[in-house]
Amino acid sequence: MDMHASMDMQAIVDEALSHAETYRGHGEVTDYIPALSKVDPNKLGIAVALRDGSTYVAGDADELFSIQSISKVFTLSLALQRVGPAIWNFVGKEPSGSPFNSIVQLEAEEGKPRNPLINPGAIVVCDQLIGDRNADAAVDELLQFLAERSGEDHIRIDEQVALSESQYGFLNRSLANFVAAFGNIKNPVEEVLSVYFRQCSISMSCRQLARAALYLACDGTDCSTGDAIILPTRARRINALMLTCGHYDNSGDFAFRIGLPGKSGVGGGILTTVPGVGAVAVWSPGLNAAGTSLAGAMALEKLVESTGWSIFV
Ligand code: GLN
């Protein structure tokens, strides 16, 4: 796994991007959140952050985009630290095999979402992150965490996207109310949703995302200082959930092709961790049917082929 020391990382990153070129602009740009439908489908970027602090980028890696469901990985990290294993009383750990906004399993499973990376699961995690505070405190904690982890002064929410998410959030509102009907959400539903919509509307670049996720590749520590960020067991479990559930009903295909823990977002971003090595973020807005970036996944496939970074090697 220390192969990267002898590799020309910049050449590998450039090659991954040019491999994905053929797919630039392919797939569907999200339109059920109107503010996201205006994004240029031809954007394509990649960033690799390694545990030694070096970062390699290509294409639109420094442009901000809507991280959408990638945020679920970070809220889960914070909620787990806050609540501990009791969180698993409210949300499961199994892949759903269903779309991110599916309501069908919720009825049979009495309002306990399958996992924290589908929408109802992430909404439950938001409720746990709020706890006995108010919604703004939870959002502030998340933004502060992301700024610290990515080494930026500020990470911001795109308020237009947040408004659009809320205005057209009919399904997410239904999911949240459905879960609340089973007593699995403690705070007022609208307050919980306000955290969920805002976390999805955070704007970050590939470079910022890759750097922010490094703790997941370093057993829960800050790779450069060794400071504990989250417990090592939790980092491992979040990686496990990303591998099995990070792309909804596309998780098996992603593990098959790329073999890394990952999380997709309908803004076209994909974040992957390479345990012990680093983190990779790609962005291209055209999505496949499950909401995973088409060109982004192609770039990752090439990167993994060149580096041997699949965890199944
Ligand atoms: N904000 C989106 C939603 O709730 C997030 C979905 C995603 O990125 N997969 O529908």
Side-chain angles (χ1 to χ4, degrees):
M1 274 292 199
D2 201 28
M3 285 167 67
H4 67 269
S6 58
M7 299 190 290
D8 181 348
M9 271 314 300
Q10 188 58 52
I12 287 172
V13 167
D14 290 340
E15 189 193 25
L17 195 92
S18 57
H19 178 75
E21 275 295 340
T22 332
Y23 300 87
R24 191 192 274 271
H26 289 209
E28 297 294 321
V29 176
T30 297
D31 59 3
Y32 75 98
I33 302 168
L36 291 183
S37 65
K38 300 175 194 131
V39 178
D40 178 357
N42 292 311
K43 296 290 180 186
L44 176 60
I46 179 167
V48 173
L50 296 179
R51 61 177 303 156
D52 66 3
S54 58
T55 307
Y56 301 85
V57 302
D60 303 310
D62 284 309
E63 215 170 296
L64 300 179
F65 63 91
S66 191
I67 71 169
Q68 291 295 314
S69 286
I70 297 172
S71 59
K72 292 169 181 169
V73 170
F74 300 111
T75 35
L76 177 61
S77 299
L78 293 176
L80 260 174
Q81 285 302 96
R82 193 177 164 78
V83 181
I87 204 160
W88 305 119
N89 297 329
F90 306 101
V91 62
K93 319 172 188 95
E94 292 294 343
S96 67
S98 307
F100 52 82
N101 51 12
S102 169
I103 204 164
V104 289
Q105 282 164 348
L106 276 180
E107 181 167 25
E109 296 173 7
E110 302 185 336
K112 183 174 177 180
R114 273 282 173 104
N115 67 69
L117 301 181
I118 50 174
N119 291 12
I123 291 168
V124 164
V125 170
C126 286
D127 180 45
Q128 293 294 318
L129 185 63
I130 298 171
D132 53 11
R133 305 178 290 177
N134 62 37
D136 289 349
V139 173
D140 288 347
E141 185 188 0
L142 174 62
L143 291 176
Q144 173 103 26
F145 179 77
L146 289 172
E148 265 167 38
R149 291 293 95 226
S150 60
E152 300 288 329
D153 290 338
H154 296 290
I155 294 294
R156 291 196 175 79
I157 290 164
D158 183 330
E159 296 294 346
Q160 239 186 321
V161 175
L163 187 68
S164 194
E165 293 240 8
S166 183
Q167 272 173 345
Y168 293 86
F170 306 112
L171 251 178
N172 284 324
R173 222 164 241 115
S174 308
L175 292 165
N177 279 295
F178 204 90
V179 172
F182 286 95
N184 205 18
I185 283 180
K186 315 292 173 204
N187 288 291
V189 167
E190 275 307 315
E191 202 159 317
V192 176
L193 283 170
S194 87
V195 174
Y196 177 74
F197 292 140
R198 280 183 283 173
Q199 79 171 50
C200 290
S201 307
I202 289 172
S203 294
M204 288 175 79
S205 67
C206 290
R207 186 195 297 267
Q208 291 171 341
L209 268 176
R211 295 189 62 79
L214 273 174
Y215 69 99
L216 290 170
C218 288
D219 241 1
T221 68
D222 181 310
C223 298
S224 41
T225 63
D227 292 345
I229 309 300
I230 63 172
L231 289 181
T233 45
R234 292 182 183 152
R236 272 172 243 155
R237 285 167 178 165
I238 292 170
N239 278 309
L241 287 165
M242 289 169 76
L243 183 79
T244 53
C245 315
H247 314 274
Y248 321 110
D249 44 348
N250 192 221
S251 300
D253 183 61
F254 191 88
F256 185 91
R257 287 170 55 199
I258 288 145
L260 288 173
K263 183 74 207 80
S264 58
V266 294
I270 309 176
L271 174 66
T272 62
T273 59
V274 191
V277 175
V280 185
V282 293
W283 172 51
S284 195
L287 309 175
N288 69 12
T292 306
S293 171
L294 251 170
M298 293 310 296
L300 287 170
E301 210 172 349
K302 185 68 189 170
L303 184 85
V304 163
E305 184 193 304
S306 316
T307 54
W309 279 350
S310 161
I311 59 170
F312 302 108
V313 162

